[in-house]
Amino acid sequence: MVREKWEGHEERSFAGRASGPYSDVHERVFEGLSRTQEEHRGEAVHLEEVARASDLPPDETSELLHNLVTVHGLATELAGSDSPDMGPRFEVKPRI
């Protein structure tokens, strides 16, 4: 499913993806991550920001982000990228 996005770009949707269970709540977190990263001009964002954008508790968002990184390969986790370390940041995996 492809939907219109900002300024003529397409928004990706991975509902129905074959590589393991991908639920509506995964899509909600993926969309929250995409939106929040766009608001930060493409920079990776912290868990709390994604949780707020997804309207989910941070612990549930953390599990879903981990799943998007490890199972679905749709996001990347950047650990230790801040000084001082503010926790991991996440970004949508770039398309090739």
Side-chain angles (χ1 to χ4, degrees):
M1 168 183 238
V2 176
R3 291 171 283 199
E4 290 304 312
K5 191 183 167 195
W6 310 272
E7 301 174 21
H9 297 327
E10 294 177 350
E11 182 177 333
R12 294 188 290 173
S13 173
F14 294 92
R17 198 173 154 94
S19 63
Y22 188 90
S23 66
D24 290 342
V25 74
H26 284 95
E27 181 73 6
R28 189 165 147 188
V29 171
F30 182 79
E31 287 177 353
L33 172 61
S34 298
R35 206 171 38 252
T36 306
Q37 187 177 349
E38 179 73 21
E39 291 169 2
H40 285 268
R41 300 175 192 240
E43 295 295 319
V45 295
H46 290 100
L47 166 67
E48 292 77 16
E49 295 171 290
V50 179
R52 277 193 300 274
S54 304
D55 197 28
L56 293 169
D59 58 333
E60 184 177 354
T61 304
S62 177
E63 291 176 23
L64 291 160
L65 281 169
H66 177 75
N67 196 259
L68 290 173
V69 169
T70 60
V71 175
H72 300 287
L74 300 176
T76 303
E77 180 177 345
L78 307 173
S81 58
D82 296 320
S83 182
D85 187 9
M86 304 288 292
R89 291 187 300 147
F90 298 88
E91 63 184 8
V92 172
K93 192 171 261 190
R95 287 191 254 187
I96 297 176

